[in-house]
Amino acid sequence: MREKILIVEDEEEIAMLEQDYLEINGFQTRIESDGEQAVELALTGEFDLILLDLMLPGKNGYDICREIRDKVDVPILMVTARTESIDKVLGLGLGADDYISKPFDPAELVARVKSHLNRYERLTKNGEPQNGTEGREKDVIKIDGIEIHTRSWKVFRDGEEIRFPNREFELLKFLAMNPNIVFSKEELFEKIWGYDYVGDSVTVTVHINRIREKIEEDSKNPKIIETVWGAGYRLNR
């Protein structure tokens, strides 16, 4: 079955351009221009990835991302003409996986979509828990009340499950599987996102902050994921 992309965009010319290039490359697409309707569609679970414009009638892209992020695990790529760093930080802080600015090269957009879908598939395709206690134990990383189930793609804090979008989970999992090692923002970006674009440091920082809010007792004074000033981040275990 072909992967299905939800294009949330109110500029018809841009929406059609995105649709044409994605369908040429083998994807199914659906275009929605209204923010309220976009939320309803996103929550159906029919889509493998969401391309989300920021400036929309009804609800803007920030509101949509905030409303669906913890209910929908698929990649969300924000597409916008606004290029200020604060806009990017806000979008990523709400759980968007990536950010591409207008005007964009359609080939780059398709490449980004493919990259996110490929990584999402690799992360989730073996997501069913193994049978037997021995298998489960090997797939669980425990850190100060936090349990990271690497195969079932779940995180628990004191026995209660915490929802993690795919990029946040992949970043937490990587750090947990490489404890007590300092990784620079650039190294983490390369390991988790796998390609270069302007603003990669911001992307890593925002995702680290979102993870801390979920697993640290005090996210402003983190003990599990520590900032090593001038060097990067380290997960203490």
Side-chain angles (χ1 to χ4, degrees):
M1 179 183 292
R2 292 190 300 165
E3 290 155 311
K4 193 171 183 180
I5 312 298
L6 175 60
I7 299 171
V8 185
E9 172 63 66
D10 65 329
E11 294 185 48
E12 184 177 357
E13 186 175 332
I14 293 176
M16 295 301 294
L17 177 67
E18 293 173 344
Q19 183 178 57
D20 287 346
Y21 271 83
L22 288 168
E23 292 194 347
I24 286 171
N25 282 272
F27 298 104
Q28 297 183 66
T29 64
R30 172 159 178 177
I31 296 173
E32 179 53 60
S33 60
D34 180 79
E36 296 281 0
Q37 293 296 317
V39 170
E40 292 185 17
L41 284 171
L43 294 178
T44 63
E46 295 179 11
F47 299 94
D48 300 292
L49 182 143
I50 299 170
L51 281 178
L52 180 59
D53 186 44
L54 281 185
M55 311 312 293
L56 297 163
K59 282 184 188 234
N60 64 36
Y62 295 133
D63 292 334
I64 294 171
C65 192
R66 183 185 293 110
E67 191 165 337
I68 70 174
R69 177 68 284 178
D70 288 335
K71 302 171 184 174
V72 176
D73 286 334
V74 301
I76 299 175
L77 276 64
M78 284 192 164
V79 183
T80 179
R82 303 177 67 176
T83 58
E84 293 87 345
S85 293
I86 188 63
D87 294 318
K88 179 172 183 177
V89 169
L90 180 55
L92 294 170
L94 292 172
D97 294 276
D98 203 350
Y99 193 105
I100 187 165
S101 300
K102 303 175 186 175
F104 53 82
D105 179 351
E108 180 188 1
L109 178 67
V110 172
R112 295 274 188 95
V113 167
K114 288 181 176 179
S115 175
H116 281 279
L117 287 171
N118 288 339
R119 282 181 167 268
Y120 180 75
E121 182 182 3
R122 287 198 298 272
L123 182 62
T124 60
K125 67 180 179 180
N126 294 321
E128 294 301 320
Q130 291 183 347
N131 294 323
T133 302
E134 181 182 354
R136 286 198 299 271
E137 287 300 319
K138 289 181 179 179
D139 295 327
V140 177
I141 301 172
K142 298 181 180 181
I143 309 163
D144 292 343
I146 304 297
E147 290 188 1
I148 304 163
H149 293 242
T150 61
R151 288 183 61 84
S152 61
W153 200 31
K154 292 182 178 182
V155 180
F156 295 86
R157 178 177 176 179
D158 298 326
E160 182 177 348
E161 185 176 358
I162 309 168
R163 292 297 297 272
F164 268 75
N166 61 87
R167 276 289 187 253
E168 290 176 29
F169 180 84
E170 195 170 2
L171 180 55
L172 175 60
K173 176 183 172 182
F174 175 78
L175 289 170
M177 294 182 74
N178 297 276
N180 308 316
I181 300 172
V182 178
F183 293 95
S184 69
K185 294 176 183 178
E186 292 74 20
E187 287 174 322
L188 289 174
F189 189 87
E190 182 180 351
K191 293 288 186 183
I192 305 304
W193 281 262
Y195 53 80
D196 297 321
Y197 73 102
V198 176
D200 52 338
S201 295
V202 173
T203 301
V204 172
T205 299
V206 172
H207 279 72
I208 289 289
N209 288 340
R210 282 180 58 85
I211 292 170
R212 283 171 168 167
E213 289 172 0
K214 296 178 180 181
I215 68 171
E216 299 278 1
E217 289 191 11
D218 181 359
S219 62
K220 293 182 174 57
N221 296 287
K223 304 298 183 185
I224 299 174
I225 300 180
E226 182 180 359
T227 299
V228 181
W229 297 107
Y233 298 104
R234 175 180 60 217
L235 185 140
N236 296 315
R237 186 178 171 195

